[in-house]
Amino acid sequence: MNFNGLILRDLREAFNLSRKNLGDKLDVSEQTVWQYESNITSPKFENLNVLKRTFGVDLNYFQKKNPVAKVVSSQYVAYRSNLTSSVKNTERETVYVSVLDDFMNSLLKRVTLPIPIIDDLFDEVVLMREKSFSIDDIAHHVRNRLHIDKQNKLLIAAIEKSGVFVFERSLNAKVEAYSTWTEHGRPYIILGKNKSAVRRMVDVAHEFGHVLLHRNRSFSEQNTPELRRMEKEAFQFASALLLDKSDFEVNFKRYVNDPTNPDDYLALKKHYYVSISALEMRANNLGLISSKQSGYFWGRLTKSGYKQFEPLDDVLPIFVPGKVNAIFSALSLSQIKDLYTETGVNRSFVNQLILSGQSEKIKLKQKQDSVSQNIVNLF
């Protein structure tokens, strides 16, 4: 068997495993895994079977002549993070997106999606910035173009329908989410798992801001004024997208009697799916409360312990990406089997890497195999 270690390396990194992690699964040393990946030696038959089960691929997957082509440069990966991630971690994520994108190319050949508007929307945002429109105006325009509902419940669905691909993945503890454009012009947003509904909402809106505002901008330099400026812009965009100015002003005056009391924001949190702290910051930014009131608010927020856990965090339902699940649901049994044959992967691969973290995994369902065109409705 012509085993290609570079394929194993890419799979391991795409599945977020270290050499030690994989070595433990194979009952071999980290050094031995390195030898596999460096084509110094090949795994024995029993370890090949473990690799098949671990990654959900066929043996011929490891016989490919070349690894998946890189479609993302690490400098264009925008992190939703308090600390820029390490170079090693960023490179691993570029491998993940490249493996993901390679599979998506095969999957998308089999369906017809709604016509994407993300490129047009990006051009519109560029033009608005050239004309010095405010972030509030830009976010309002984007909301209207995507028909985002006032309570943000369809936010992820609207972003996916626009042409962005949103996935979930276990990320470094310091990284909450990230986004990037591939060199072929396909935008991705990768969300961390195990977040509350309100954290998820801010993450996706923040990364969508990077997608629209900072395409092909370099994020490789750590803690520079330019990087801080882009992060600030993405945060402002997220706040304005989630809490549209005119609607928010009306509801803030309607529901918040004492702006220094964090509990007074709970009705708004439930309505918008936005955290209490983010609601206060938006109100402060719009001049709905004074600096003195804001100071009292943060003091009470800290005293109540809401910085770690807010009321409703464990109650509000979490919205997950649904585009890929909708795509699979449009395929017949034979089409799914053909997809697996073409790509050399199986359902385990899809459920681990493509739909990781979602409540519904792919299940093969018998459909009419005579369907010649699969039109996917995302709403």
Side-chain angles (χ1 to χ4, degrees):
M1 175 183 178
N2 296 320
F3 183 85
N4 188 340
L6 296 178
I7 302 294
L8 175 60
R9 179 204 63 191
D10 285 354
L11 269 180
R12 175 181 61 77
E13 294 192 344
F15 276 72
N16 218 5
L17 296 173
S18 67
R19 288 194 180 98
K20 185 179 185 310
N21 295 149
L22 185 56
D24 290 343
K25 292 177 181 293
L26 298 172
D27 197 23
V28 301
S29 67
E30 185 176 348
Q31 176 72 10
T32 299
V33 174
W34 176 81
Q35 291 177 338
Y36 293 161
E37 295 180 354
S38 302
N39 288 316
I40 295 173
T41 185
S42 297
K44 295 179 180 179
F45 181 75
E46 55 268 27
N47 279 341
L48 284 173
N49 283 328
V50 175
L51 292 175
K52 283 175 52 182
R53 292 193 299 271
T54 298
F55 298 118
V57 299
D58 300 331
L59 281 181
N60 59 12
Y61 193 95
F62 296 105
Q63 294 180 287
K64 294 180 180 180
K65 185 176 181 180
N66 298 309
V68 170
K70 290 284 187 68
V71 295
V72 176
S73 171
S74 59
Q75 68 175 317
Y76 299 132
V77 176
Y79 278 103
R80 167 83 171 117
S81 157
N82 294 322
L83 181 69
T84 302
S85 185
S86 68
V87 173
K88 182 178 179 181
N89 191 72
T90 306
E91 288 295 336
R92 178 176 289 184
E93 295 307 317
T94 66
V95 173
Y96 164 70
V97 173
S98 298
V99 171
L100 186 67
D101 191 68
D102 183 64
F103 180 82
M104 292 303 299
N105 287 334
S106 296
L107 177 61
L108 294 176
K109 290 188 302 185
R110 292 163 165 81
V111 295
T112 300
L113 294 176
I115 297 174
I117 66 166
I118 189 64
D119 287 320
D120 290 341
L121 189 58
F122 172 78
D123 291 340
E124 291 163 14
V125 169
V126 169
L127 184 61
M128 292 182 76
R129 284 167 70 81
E130 289 175 352
K131 293 183 177 180
S132 299
F133 279 80
S134 69
I135 294 294
D136 264 304
D137 289 335
I138 292 172
H140 181 75
H141 173 74
V142 171
R143 280 193 70 92
N144 288 341
R145 285 282 272 125
L146 299 188
H147 305 290
I148 298 172
D149 62 301
K150 290 185 177 182
Q151 291 185 270
N152 299 314
K153 292 182 178 181
L154 295 178
L155 176 70
I156 293 179
I159 290 174
E160 288 189 296
K161 187 175 182 181
S162 76
V164 180
F165 288 82
V166 184
F167 291 88
E168 295 176 286
R169 173 169 168 82
S170 293
L171 297 172
N172 182 298
K174 295 178 181 177
V175 178
E176 298 170 337
Y178 67 87
S179 56
T180 190
W181 286 82
T182 69
E183 62 183 28
H184 304 301
R186 183 177 291 160
Y188 284 95
I189 292 175
I190 311 300
L191 303 173
K193 297 181 185 178
N194 303 319
K195 299 293 181 70
S196 66
V198 294
R199 286 278 297 279
R200 166 63 56 87
M201 205 65 76
V202 171
D203 284 350
V204 73
H206 183 102
E207 292 308 325
F208 192 44
H210 281 310
V211 166
L212 291 174
L213 300 172
H214 307 132
R215 182 177 183 177
N216 295 334
R217 301 283 186 89
S218 176
F219 290 83
S220 59
E221 296 295 328
Q222 298 188 23
N223 201 31
T224 62
E226 177 62 9
L227 182 61
R228 290 194 295 271
R229 184 192 66 79
M230 290 191 291
E231 275 295 291
K232 183 178 179 180
E233 275 191 343
F235 177 79
Q236 290 173 336
F237 176 87
S239 180
L241 184 71
L242 294 169
L243 304 168
D244 193 58
K245 181 179 178 180
S246 58
D247 185 73
F248 178 72
E249 287 178 338
V250 170
N251 283 325
F252 183 85
K253 293 173 183 177
R254 177 184 300 166
Y255 293 112
V256 179
N257 296 314
D258 180 3
T260 71
N261 182 4
D263 289 327
D264 257 32
Y265 292 75
L266 289 177
L268 290 180
K269 176 175 180 174
K270 189 174 182 180
H271 179 80
Y272 289 114
Y273 284 76
V274 174
S275 69
I276 294 170
S277 56
L279 290 164
E280 190 279 341
M281 285 188 280
R282 179 62 166 157
N284 193 8
N285 177 260
L286 293 175
L288 298 174
I289 61 176
S290 67
S291 298
K292 185 176 181 179
Q293 288 174 320
S294 181
Y296 283 133
F297 168 88
W298 288 103
R300 296 177 72 173
L301 187 81
T302 302
K303 187 175 181 180
S304 65
Y306 289 176
K307 282 192 173 182
Q308 286 73 39
F309 181 85
E310 293 183 0
L312 301 179
D313 277 353
D314 58 346
V315 175
L316 296 177
I318 297 174
F319 300 106
V320 299
K323 179 189 284 189
V324 176
N325 218 332
I327 292 171
F328 267 94
S329 297
L331 299 180
S332 68
L333 176 61
S334 64
Q335 288 171 321
I336 292 176
K337 288 182 176 179
D338 287 344
L339 171 68
Y340 290 165
T341 299
E342 177 187 319
T343 57
V345 309
N346 58 44
R347 184 169 44 177
S348 176
F349 175 96
V350 173
N351 284 341
Q352 291 184 80
L353 199 68
I354 310 301
L355 295 176
S356 176
Q358 294 199 19
S359 58
E360 292 186 15
K361 302 298 188 180
I362 288 298
K363 296 179 181 178
L364 297 182
K365 295 180 180 179
Q366 183 67 53
K367 299 185 68 171
Q368 292 295 325
D369 289 341
S370 60
V371 177
S372 59
Q373 185 180 39
N374 301 290
I375 299 174
V376 181
N377 182 9
L378 297 179
F379 276 107

